[in-house]
């Protein structure tokens, strides 16, 4: 249940220290601690001609749009809200590994875990045939 609290006092709107926004300050006539719960939010503030002040917080943004399917050494395979699959790999240059090899082997490892070695072997054979590779180490 929402609780309405009425306060009387004086308020001021001034530019904030960085100069890129406004700061609203309010000094209650009868200050009493903890009358209003602490709130940290971005939103829209509006001072009406009647002198009333309104603040409407922005709706909370849903940040996690991905569902982890499999973790990789340098990334992850995820499902997205819009019913897609997303593979993310990130290798830092300072790691000192062959990033090109990692970008090939890690997705193969993830997909082998998901599909099993037999199905992955079939797919890899098909890919190698498309590349006209005669001997692929069988």
């Amino acid at each position: 249940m929402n609780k309405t609290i009425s306060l009387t006092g004086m308020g001021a709107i001034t530019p904030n220290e960085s100069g890129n926004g406004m700061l609203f300050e309010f000094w209650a006539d009868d200050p009493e601690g903890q009358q209003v719960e602490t709130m940290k939010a971005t939103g829209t503030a509006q001072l009406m001609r009647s002198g009333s002040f309104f603040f409407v917080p922005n709706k909370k943004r849903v940040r996690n749009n991905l569902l982890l399917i499999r973790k990789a050494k340098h990334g992850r395979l995820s499902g997205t809200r819009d019913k897609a699959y997303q593979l993310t790999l990130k290798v830092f240059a300072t790691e000192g590994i062959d990033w090109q090899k990692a970008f090939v082997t890690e997705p193969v490892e993830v997909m082998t875990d998901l599909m099993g070695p037999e199905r992955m072997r079939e797919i890899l054979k098909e890919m190698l045939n498309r590349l006209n590779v005669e001997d692929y180490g069988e």
Side-chain angles (χ1 to χ4, degrees):
M1 181 172 138
N2 292 337
K3 181 173 143 182
T4 302
I5 297 173
S6 295
L7 301 172
T8 59
M10 183 174 72
I13 299 173
T14 57
N16 67 4
E17 291 176 3
S18 62
N20 62 355
M22 302 301 279
L23 175 67
F24 176 75
E25 295 180 80
F26 180 79
W27 301 277
D29 290 337
D30 186 22
E32 182 181 320
Q34 305 301 319
Q35 284 185 6
V36 180
E37 287 186 31
T38 301
M39 178 182 74
K40 182 178 179 181
T42 58
T44 303
Q46 188 172 12
L47 183 61
M48 308 301 284
R49 288 185 181 174
S50 65
S52 57
F53 177 81
F54 291 96
F55 178 77
V56 180
N58 292 337
K59 292 180 182 177
K60 289 188 177 181
R61 190 180 96 179
V62 178
R63 293 179 183 259
N64 189 3
N65 292 325
L66 303 175
L67 175 65
L68 176 65
I69 297 172
R70 279 286 193 273
K71 188 82 175 97
K73 290 177 189 171
H74 293 94
R76 59 191 292 145
L77 174 65
S78 305
T80 65
R81 279 195 176 177
D82 58 351
K83 309 269 189 262
Y85 297 99
Q86 178 176 318
L87 175 65
T88 306
L89 295 173
K90 183 176 183 178
V91 176
F92 290 96
T94 56
E95 288 184 67
I97 66 168
D98 183 354
W99 64 270
Q100 293 167 328
K101 182 177 178 183
F103 276 33
V104 173
T105 58
E106 289 189 26
V108 169
E109 290 170 4
V110 168
M111 296 309 296
T112 302
D113 286 346
L114 284 173
M115 298 184 301
E118 291 300 319
R119 176 76 174 121
M120 194 64 197
R121 192 173 291 115
E122 292 171 15
I123 292 171
L124 289 174
K125 281 181 184 178
E126 182 181 322
M127 289 175 61
L128 292 169
N129 285 335
R130 288 184 189 174
L131 294 172
N132 294 322
V133 176
E134 297 289 326
D135 180 23
Y136 45 86
E138 267 196 19

